[in-house]
C-alpha cells in the first residue's frame, strides 16, 4: 500500500504541477499581464495597437488585399486585384487570402456601395490563443495575434473556438498550416504600419494605439452624426478587438457578427479550469478515504460473519 | 466469431520461458500467431474493412485531410473527433465507474467483469483517442504539449491531452497484472498489484476531469452551438452522461463477450452474471435520472421553450425522449422484473442516445444555422469502422491469451474467494 500511495503522490505531483498552473492563465490574458505569457516582461508597459477601418472612406480598390498577398507571399489569385468581379459573391477569407473585401448596398446613398474588410479581429483576449495547446497562436504585447507555425500540431481547436471563424486551414496539403492575418506583427514590433494600412490610398484603414483609435472613432461619430451609425464594432465585441470598424449603416446589415457577446472568450473556460486544481486535491483524498472506510467495513463484517 | 476457445494458459509448472529476454521474444512471437479458425465471416469482413481503412489512411497522409474527409473551413471537426474521440471516450467511462465501485466502494461482486472493462477502456483510449492522430494536420507535433517548449496551460485541450496520456498509463497499470500472469512473471506481478490502488485513485480523478473536459472544449464555441445544447453546464453534463454511457456499454459489451468467450469464463462468473448486469442497470438508471434533471434545469434556466417547436427543437426532443426518458422507463421495468434481456436491450438504446448527444454537441448542432451542413464522407465512416474493427481484434487477441475474463489457474484471486460469501450475505441483506 505504501508503495502505491507514494508512487501515486509522486505522479500526481508531477502532473499536478503541470495542471495546477493551468487554472491561472486565462484570467491573466488581458493587457499587461499578457506580457508575462509572451515572455517580454520588460515590455509590459506597451499599449495594444489597433486598426480603425472607416468603411465610409473605403472605395473598394482592393489595395489592402494586394498588399497582404505580397507581404505574406501568398499565391496570386486567379482573378486580378484590379477586377471588380469578385464582389458578385460574398467572400470569406481563405488560406490564400487573409483579408477580403465585400460589397454591400448603401441605403443612404445608393450609388455609393459600402465595402467591408473581413479578417482576423485580433481580439484583446483571443479565444484562439487560449485554445491553442502549444501556444502556436499567441497574443503579443503590441496587440497582434501571431502564429508560430513550427509549434502547431493542426488540431484546429482554434478554429472551433474563434468567435469570428477567422483561422483557416490548409486541408489540401499533406504538410498543412493554419492560415490567418497576423497583423504584420514583424512590422508592428519594429514600430511600422501593417502592409495593408500602408497601401490604403484613402486612409480608410488607419493604424495606431487602440485607445487613440477609439477616441478618433468617437470623435467622427460626434462630429458627423448624420454620416455615421453611432457604433464602433470591435470596441466591446468578444471583450474588445484590435480591429475597429465604423460604418454609415447599422453594422448588422454588413454581415458583422452580432452574436459574439461582450464577454472575453477565455473567461468561458476559466470556471472549469479553476476547478481543476481543486478536484486534483480533493478527489484523491476523498477516494482514498472512501476506499479505506469501505475496506474496514468489509473486514469488520467478515469478522462478524465468523462469529 | 467461431473460434476454438480451448484455454492454453501456461501452467504453473511449465513457465512460458519469458523470464529471459530471448525467451520473452520467442514466447510473444509464438503468441502472435492467430488461434482458432482464420476464415470466419467476421474475420473476412472486418479484415477487409481494416485493409480498406489502411489504404484510406495512406491517402489521407499523402494528400492531406481534404482528400478523403468532408472537413471544411466552417467545420474543422468532423466525426473523427465527434464520434471516435468524444463518443469513444464517453463509452470508455465504464472503466473508471467500475473501478470506483470495485476498488473504492469495495463491491467485489463486479470484480469478474472489471478486468475486461478496464482492458476495453485501455484499448478505447489507444484506438479511439489514437484516431485523433489521423485528424491532426501535423501529428508528429503531438508531442509538443508534452515535451514542447510552449505549454498552452490555458487550453482545455492541453488538459485533455495530458489526461488522455496519463489515464492511458493508469489503465495500463491496472491491466498489467494480467500481462504478467500471461508471461508468468510472478515477482513482477506482485509489485504490479501494489500499484493498482494508486492507479485507480489517480485514474478516477483524471477521468472526472477529462470526461468533463471534453465537454468544456466546446465552451468557447458558444455562438456556434445551438442554444438547446450549449450551456455552462456542459462539463457536468458530459461527466454525468459518461457514467451511464460507460455502464450501458459495459452491459452491451459484456453480454456479447459473455457469449463469444463463453468457454473461458470461470463458472462462478457465469452464476453471478445476471446479478452483475442488473446491478449495473441500477447504476445507469441513477445516472440517467441525475442527467435528466440537469438537462431540464438547463432548459428551464435558459428559457428555451420557444425553441422546442423548431426543427432543431424536435431533434432535441428525440434525443431527450429516445435517449433518456425511454431508457429510464425501460430500465425501471427491467429492474423491477429482473429482466436481464430488457436491460441489455435498453443498454443499447442508451448507448445510441449517447452517440446522438455527443454528435449533436460536436457536429450536428454545431453551426446548425449554415446552409451547407457537414456530413461525413464515406471514407470518414470507413476509417471509423476500421478503427473499431482493429480495437475488436486487439481485444480478442488479448482475451484469448491473457487471463482477462477469468483467473489464471496459477494465480487464484484470493481476495474474491475470501469475500465471496460475505458479499452474498450482504446483498441478500440489502435486498430485503
Ligand atoms: S478573431 Fe479569432 S483568430 Fe483572430 S484573434 Fe480573435 S479569436 Fe483569434
Ligand atoms: S491548429 Fe495549431 S494553432 Fe490551432 S489550436 Fe491547434 S496547434 Fe494551435
Amino acid at each position: 500500500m505504501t508503495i502505491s500511495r507514494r508512487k501515486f503522490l509522486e505522479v500526481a505531483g508531477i502532473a499536478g504541477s503541470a495542471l495546477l498552473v493551468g487554472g491561472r492563465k486565462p484570467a491573466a490574458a488581458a493587457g499587461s499581464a499578457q506580457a508575462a505569457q509572451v515572455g517580454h516582461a520588460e515590455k509590459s508597459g506597451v499599449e495594444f495597437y489597433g486598426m480603425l477601418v472607416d468603411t465610409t472612406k473605403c472605395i473598394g480598390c482592393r489595395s489592402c488585399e494586394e498588399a497582404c498577398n505580397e507581404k505574406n507571399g501568398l499565391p496570386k489569385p486567379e482573378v486580378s486585384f484590379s477586377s471588380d468581379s469578385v464582389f458578385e459573391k460574398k467572400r470569406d477569407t481563405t488560406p490564400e487570402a487573409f483579408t477580403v473585401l465585400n460589397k454591400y448596398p448603401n441605403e443612404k446613398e445608393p450609388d455609393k456601395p459600402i465595402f467591408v474588410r473581413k479578417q482576423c479581429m485580433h481580439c484583446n483576449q483571443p479565444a484562439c490563443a487560449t485554445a491553442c495547446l502549444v501556444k502556436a497562436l499567441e497574443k503579443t504585447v503590441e496587440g497582434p495575434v501571431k502564429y508560430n507555425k513550427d509549434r502547431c500540431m493542426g488540431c484546429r481547436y482554434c478554429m472551433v473556438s474563434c468567435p469570428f471563424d477567422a483561422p483557416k486551414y490548409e486541408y489540401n496539403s499533406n504538410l498543412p498550416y493554419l492560415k490567418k492575418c497576423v497583423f504584420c506583427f514583424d512590422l508592428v514590433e519594429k514600430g511600422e504600419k501593417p502592409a495593408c494600412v500602408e497601401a490604403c490610398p484613402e486612409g480608410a484603414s488607419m493604424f495606431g494605439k487602440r485607445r487613440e483609435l477609439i477616441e478618433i472613432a468617437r470623435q467622427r461619430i460626434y462630429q458627423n452624426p448624420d454620416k455615421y451609425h453611432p457604433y464602433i464594432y470591435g470596441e466591446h465585441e468578444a471583450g474588445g478587438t484590435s480591429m475597429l470598424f465604423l460604418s454609415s449603416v447599422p453594422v448588422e446589415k454588413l454581415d458583422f457578427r452580432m452574436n459574439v457577446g461582450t464577454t472575453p472568450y477565455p473567461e468561458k473556460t476559466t470556471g472549469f479550469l479553476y476547478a481543476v486544481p481543486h478536484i486534483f486535491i480533493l478527489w484523491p483524498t476523498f477516494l482514498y478515504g472512501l476506499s479505506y472506510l469501505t475496506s474496514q467495513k468489509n473486514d469488520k463484517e467478515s469478522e462478524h460473519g465468523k462469529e | 466469431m467461431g473460434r476454438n476457445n480451448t484455454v492454453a494458459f501456461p501452467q504453473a509448472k511449465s513457465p512460458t520461458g519469458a523470464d529471459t529476454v530471448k525467451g520473452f521474444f520467442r514466447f510473444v512471437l509464438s503468441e502472435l500467431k492467430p488461434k482458432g479458425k482464420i476464415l470466419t465471416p467476421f474475420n473476412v469482413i472486418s479484415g477487409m474493412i481494416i485493409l480498406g481503412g489502411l489504404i484510406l489512411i495512406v491517402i489521407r497522409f499523402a494528400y492531406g485531410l481534404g482528400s478523403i474527409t468532408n472537413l471544411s473551413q466552417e467545420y474543422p471537426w468532423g466525426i473523427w473527433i465527434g464520434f471516435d474521440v468524444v463518443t469513444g471516450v464517453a463509452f470508455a467511462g465504464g472503466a473508471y465507474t467500475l473501478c470506483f465501485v470495485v476498488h473504492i466502494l469495495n463491491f467485489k461482486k463486479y470484480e469478474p467483469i472489471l478486468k475486461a472493462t478496464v482492458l476495453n477502456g485501455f484499448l478505447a483510449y489507444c484506438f479511439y483517442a489514437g484516431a485523433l492522430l489521423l485528424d491532426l494536420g501535423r501529428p508528429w507535433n503531438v508531442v509538443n504539449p508534452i515535451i514542447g517548449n510552449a505549454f498552452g496551460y490555458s487550453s482545455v485541450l492541453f488538459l485533455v491531452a495530458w489526461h488522455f496520456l496519463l489515464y492511458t498509463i493508469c489503465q495500463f497499470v491496472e491491466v498489467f497484472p494480467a500481462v504478467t500472469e500471461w508471461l508468468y512473471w510472478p515477482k513482477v506481478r506482485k509489485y504490479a498489484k501494489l500499484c493498482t490502488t494508486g492507479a485507480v485513485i489517480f485514474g478516477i480523478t483524471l477521468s472526472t476531469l477529462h470526461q468533463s473536459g471534453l465537454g468544456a472544449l466546446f465552451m468557447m464555441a458558444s455562438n456556434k452551438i445551438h442554444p438547446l445544447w450549449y450551456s455552462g453546464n456542459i462539463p457536468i453534463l458530459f461527466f454525468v452522461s459518461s457514467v451511464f454511457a460507460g455502464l450501458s456499454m459495459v452491459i452491451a459489451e459484456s453480454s456479447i463477450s459473455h457469449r463469444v468467450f463463453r468457454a473461458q469464463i470461470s463458472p462462478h462468473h457465469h452464476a453471478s452474471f445476471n446479478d452483475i448486469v442488473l446491478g449495473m442497470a441500477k447504476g445507469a438508471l441513477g445516472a440517467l435520472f441525475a442527467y435528466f434533471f440537469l438537462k431540464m434545469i438547463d432548459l428551464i434556466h435558459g428559457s428555451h421553450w420557444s425553441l422546442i417547436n423548431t426543427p432543431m427543437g424536435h431533434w432535441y426532443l428525440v434525443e431527450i425522449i429516445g435517449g433518456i426518458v425511454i431508457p429510464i422507463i425501460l430500465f425501471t421495468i427491467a429492474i423491477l422484473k429482473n429482466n436481464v434481456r430488457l436491460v441489455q436491450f435498453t443498454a443499447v438504446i442508451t448507448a445510441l442516445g449517447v452517440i446522438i448527444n455527443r454528435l449533436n454537441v460536436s457536429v450536428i448542432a454545431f453551426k446548425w444555422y449554415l446552409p451547407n451542413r457537414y456530413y461525413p464522407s464515406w471514407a470518414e465512416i470507413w476509417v471509423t469502422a476500421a478503427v473499431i474493427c482493429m480495437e475488436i481484434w486487439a481485444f480478442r487477441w488479448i482475451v484469448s491469451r491473457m487471463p482477462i475474463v477469468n483467473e489464471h489457474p496459477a494465480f487464484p484471486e484470493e481476495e474474491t474467494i475470501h469475500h465471496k460469501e460475505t458479499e452474498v450475505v450482504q446483498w441478500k441483506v440489502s435486498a430485503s
Side-chain angles (χ1 to χ4, degrees):
Chain A
M1 207 48 182
T2 44
I3 291 184
S4 69
R5 198 163 70 209
R6 195 183 310 140
K7 188 185 155 65
F8 151 69
L9 286 175
E10 234 170 60
V11 183
I14 299 166
S17 54
L19 300 169
L20 286 176
V21 204
R24 298 288 154 207
K25 274 292 149 62
S32 60
Q34 196 69 44
Q37 200 179 346
V38 184
H40 302 275
E42 72 281 3
K43 283 191 188 171
S44 55
V46 178
E47 239 184 281
F48 281 168
Y49 285 100
M51 191 189 298
L52 175 63
V53 180
D54 189 335
T55 58
T56 62
K57 295 191 176 186
C58 179
I59 53 168
C61 66
R62 299 180 68 208
S63 306
C64 48
E65 286 187 30
E66 189 167 9
C68 176
N69 177 287
E70 260 166 43
K71 169 71 175 69
N72 293 296
L74 300 172
K76 288 272 161 275
E78 280 162 34
V79 187
S80 98
F81 284 110
S82 50
S83 161
D84 276 355
S85 62
V86 289
F87 293 133
E88 281 156 19
K89 272 193 300 204
K90 292 281 172 289
R91 294 180 301 159
D92 193 4
T93 54
T94 66
E96 291 86 37
F98 300 168
T99 186
V100 291
L101 277 185
N102 280 317
K103 185 165 136 182
Y104 296 90
N106 188 345
E107 49 192 36
K108 278 187 183 167
E109 293 170 82
D111 52 328
K112 263 190 82 185
I114 302 172
F115 297 95
V116 181
R117 281 180 69 176
K118 190 171 189 191
Q119 59 166 85
C120 167
M121 299 287 287
H122 297 278
C123 311
N124 289 351
Q125 300 189 46
C128 61
T130 307
C132 183
L133 71 173
V134 290
K135 285 202 191 156
L137 289 165
E138 262 182 317
K139 181 82 175 165
T140 60
V141 278
E142 292 87 3
V145 176
K146 70 172 181 187
Y147 177 57
N148 309 298
K149 63 180 178 18
D150 298 328
R151 291 180 186 166
C152 175
M153 62 155 99
C155 63
R156 308 188 296 288
Y157 183 34
C158 47
M159 300 174 71
V160 172
S161 303
C162 169
F164 302 99
D165 285 313
K168 301 284 137 101
Y169 205 65
E170 296 183 307
Y171 285 109
N172 293 318
S173 158
N174 56 4
L175 290 173
Y177 286 120
L178 189 85
K179 293 284 187 167
K180 77 169 193 73
C181 158
V182 292
F183 213 95
C184 297
F185 68 91
D186 48 335
L187 298 178
V188 173
E189 271 169 13
K190 283 190 276 175
E192 291 170 35
K193 295 175 183 174
C196 54
V197 175
E198 194 67 58
C200 182
E202 300 292 315
S205 299
M206 217 175 137
F207 174 72
K209 294 263 158 67
R210 181 175 184 269
R211 192 176 39 83
E212 291 168 9
L213 291 176
I214 292 177
E215 287 305 315
I216 296 173
R218 289 220 180 104
Q219 217 169 11
R220 287 187 191 169
I221 293 173
Y222 293 148
Q223 288 170 355
N224 310 286
D226 300 335
K227 186 173 170 196
Y228 290 102
H229 173 67
Y231 191 82
I232 309 171
Y233 189 86
E235 187 180 1
H236 300 296
E237 269 67 27
T241 64
S242 280
M243 296 294 292
L244 301 162
F245 291 87
L246 277 179
S247 70
S248 55
V249 300
V251 281
E252 48 270 35
K253 300 208 169 131
L254 304 174
D255 282 352
F256 281 103
R257 294 216 173 162
M258 303 312 288
N259 63 356
V260 293
T262 53
T263 323
Y265 271 59
E267 276 175 24
K268 297 182 192 257
T269 53
T270 40
F272 174 74
L273 289 170
Y274 274 10
V276 169
H278 297 281
I279 290 186
F280 241 97
I281 291 163
L282 294 178
W283 237 224
T285 323
F286 168 73
L287 291 174
Y288 185 71
L290 198 60
S291 85
Y292 183 74
L293 285 177
T294 52
S295 63
Q296 292 248 306
K297 184 191 81 186
N298 274 356
D299 284 351
K300 282 228 185 76
E301 268 170 27
S302 54
E303 267 163 35
H304 279 298
K306 273 178 212 151
E307 275 165 20
Chain B
M1 272 177 256
R3 342 186 73 247
N4 171 12
N5 279 322
T6 43
V7 198
F9 288 118
Q11 286 305 305
K13 278 173 208 134
S14 57
T16 57
D19 41 3
T20 62
V21 178
K22 227 168 122 193
F24 171 76
F25 282 113
R26 195 174 308 136
F27 175 65
V28 172
L29 270 180
S30 73
E31 286 282 85
L32 273 183
K33 270 186 244 125
K35 292 182 177 181
K37 252 185 34 208
I38 296 177
L39 286 180
T40 59
F42 172 81
N43 282 357
V44 172
I45 294 173
S46 60
M48 283 191 321
I49 294 178
I50 293 179
L51 204 68
L54 292 177
I55 296 172
L56 288 171
I57 290 172
V58 170
I59 298 175
R60 174 252 169 278
F61 279 109
Y63 299 103
L65 278 164
S67 58
I68 63 164
T69 69
N70 276 351
L71 297 177
S72 64
Q73 306 297 356
E74 293 291 357
Y75 289 93
W77 286 355
I79 59 160
W80 285 358
I81 299 289
F83 183 77
D84 298 20
V85 180
V86 178
T87 314
V89 167
F91 283 146
Y96 82 87
T97 312
L98 275 190
C99 273
F100 178 72
V101 171
V102 173
H103 287 291
I104 305 296
L105 296 183
N106 271 306
F107 282 127
K108 297 291 178 205
K109 176 171 90 158
Y110 300 96
E111 190 133 29
I113 55 161
L114 181 66
K115 275 192 280 182
T117 307
V118 174
L119 175 68
N120 236 316
F122 172 68
L123 293 176
Y125 277 79
C126 290
F127 284 88
Y128 303 144
L132 186 74
L133 292 181
L134 302 177
D135 197 72
L136 292 182
R138 298 179 156 252
W140 50 92
N141 277 347
V142 75
V143 293
N144 276 358
I146 314 291
I147 57 130
N149 48 357
F151 286 147
Y153 303 117
S154 57
S155 170
V156 179
L157 193 58
F158 177 78
L159 178 121
V160 170
W162 262 97
H163 283 198
F164 274 9
L165 178 76
L166 294 174
Y167 186 53
T168 312
I169 296 173
C170 279
Q171 286 183 314
F172 182 74
V173 171
E174 285 164 32
V175 287
F176 191 61
V179 180
T180 60
E181 287 167 17
W182 168 63
L183 292 168
Y184 203 78
W185 285 350
K187 279 193 199 125
V188 184
R189 178 179 179 272
K190 218 172 83 198
Y191 291 110
K193 278 251 155 192
L194 286 177
C195 299
T196 307
T197 310
V200 164
I201 292 181
F202 193 38
I204 295 171
T205 310
L206 289 169
S207 293
T208 315
L209 287 171
H210 74 250
Q211 291 286 359
S212 47
L214 277 177
L217 278 183
F218 295 95
M219 306 252 321
M220 281 201 285
S222 53
N223 62 341
K224 302 181 195 172
I225 295 175
H226 192 280
L228 283 173
W229 282 274
Y230 184 87
S231 111
N233 291 333
I234 298 187
I236 299 170
L237 291 171
F238 265 51
F239 171 66
V240 175
S241 53
S242 77
V243 173
F244 61 79
L247 285 177
S248 55
M249 204 58 194
V250 174
I251 295 172
E253 179 270 325
S254 66
S255 317
I256 297 171
S257 55
H258 197 68
R259 246 170 263 165
V260 177
F261 301 106
R262 183 158 265 281
Q264 293 170 21
I265 292 168
S266 39
H268 86 262
H269 178 182
H270 275 303
S272 62
F273 182 70
N274 287 355
D275 202 21
I276 290 176
V277 170
L278 284 171
M280 286 194 291
K282 283 179 202 158
L285 181 61
L288 274 165
F289 257 118
Y291 183 74
F292 180 68
F293 284 117
L294 286 172
K295 271 284 199 192
M296 287 306 107
I297 289 171
D298 264 355
L299 184 66
I300 296 163
H301 212 85
S303 39
H304 296 315
W305 295 110
S306 54
L307 293 171
I308 295 284
N309 206 3
T310 61
M312 283 311 273
H314 298 153
W315 180 232
Y316 175 83
L317 287 182
V318 170
E319 180 192 315
I320 297 288
I321 295 175
I324 307 172
V325 177
I326 291 180
I328 287 179
I329 298 171
L330 291 182
F331 268 141
T332 313
I333 297 175
I335 291 166
L336 290 177
K337 299 204 162 152
N338 277 343
N339 187 339
V340 174
R341 273 288 152 108
L342 186 57
V343 168
Q344 290 168 339
F345 173 75
T346 315
V348 174
I349 297 185
T350 314
L352 286 176
V354 173
I355 295 178
I356 291 178
N357 171 260
R358 294 302 196 264
L359 285 180
N360 270 337
V361 173
S362 58
V363 175
I364 300 173
F366 186 84
K367 299 204 179 162
W368 83 102
Y369 45 80
L370 286 184
N372 294 322
R373 306 295 318 277
Y374 160 89
Y375 54 90
S377 68
W378 67 267
E380 283 174 86
I381 297 173
W382 188 296
V383 170
T384 300
V387 171
I388 295 174
C389 290
M390 284 189 236
E391 201 255 9
I392 296 175
W393 277 27
F395 183 76
R396 193 179 57 175
W397 186 85
I398 295 173
V399 169
S400 40
R401 279 160 187 81
M402 298 179 197
I404 298 290
V405 291
N406 48 14
E407 276 132 38
H408 194 293
F411 304 99
E413 199 53 76
E414 325 80 26
E415 278 174 76
T416 327
I417 294 163
H418 178 74
H419 281 300
K420 221 184 128 195
E421 276 173 9
T422 44
E423 279 298 321
V424 174
V425 173
Q426 223 174 298
W427 266 97
K428 281 192 182 138
V429 172
S430 65
S432 62

